[in-house]
Amino acid sequence: MRTLPALAGLLSLVLPAMALAQTANMRAASEAEIRQHLPGTSELKEAKNGYEYRQGNKNGYKISNGQVCVRFPDKSTDCVSVKTDGKKFQMIDRKGGRTRF
């Protein structure tokens, strides 16, 4: 019975270190890399406000080196950083949470 808590404790120390090692080679993705990785970016048309919109969609997108921002119909925005090692892509939200992109 003591094995399970010990294993959980060990994993809580090892897993963050493994994640850090995997992300150590990550760099900001270029705008071209982000556009290549995201489906449908060729359908976006730029509006006067600097955001790009897909026909019929009220969310606007601004894609730049290392970042994607979304402008919602209520004019609020949310941005994520995009990192890559050239093969894998990660999104990093404003709280530091990382997810596959």
Side-chain angles (χ1 to χ4, degrees):
M1 286 302 214
R2 292 183 193 186
T3 306
L4 191 56
L7 180 59
L10 178 64
L11 288 176
S12 70
L13 296 173
V14 172
L15 290 179
M18 289 172 56
L20 183 60
Q22 289 176 342
T23 60
N25 298 335
M26 298 295 230
R27 59 172 171 74
S30 70
E31 180 179 346
E33 287 174 315
I34 294 170
R35 287 184 183 277
Q36 222 173 21
H37 191 72
L38 277 175
T41 56
S42 62
E43 302 166 9
L44 297 173
K45 304 289 183 222
E46 190 167 351
K48 292 178 186 177
N49 65 4
Y51 283 81
E52 297 176 82
Y53 292 83
R54 188 172 288 120
Q55 186 173 353
N57 191 334
K58 295 186 182 211
N59 291 337
Y61 303 91
K62 190 177 282 189
I63 302 168
S64 59
N65 287 336
Q67 192 173 51
V68 176
C69 295
V70 179
R71 184 174 186 181
F72 300 100
D74 67 0
K75 295 187 172 64
S76 67
T77 60
D78 193 16
C79 298
V80 294
S81 295
V82 181
K83 304 279 186 185
T84 186
D85 64 1
K87 296 177 184 173
K88 296 181 224 152
F89 288 77
Q90 284 186 345
M91 253 184 348
I92 305 167
D93 63 28
R94 61 182 161 207
K95 294 180 181 177
R98 292 176 181 257
T99 56
R100 218 175 244 195
F101 181 68

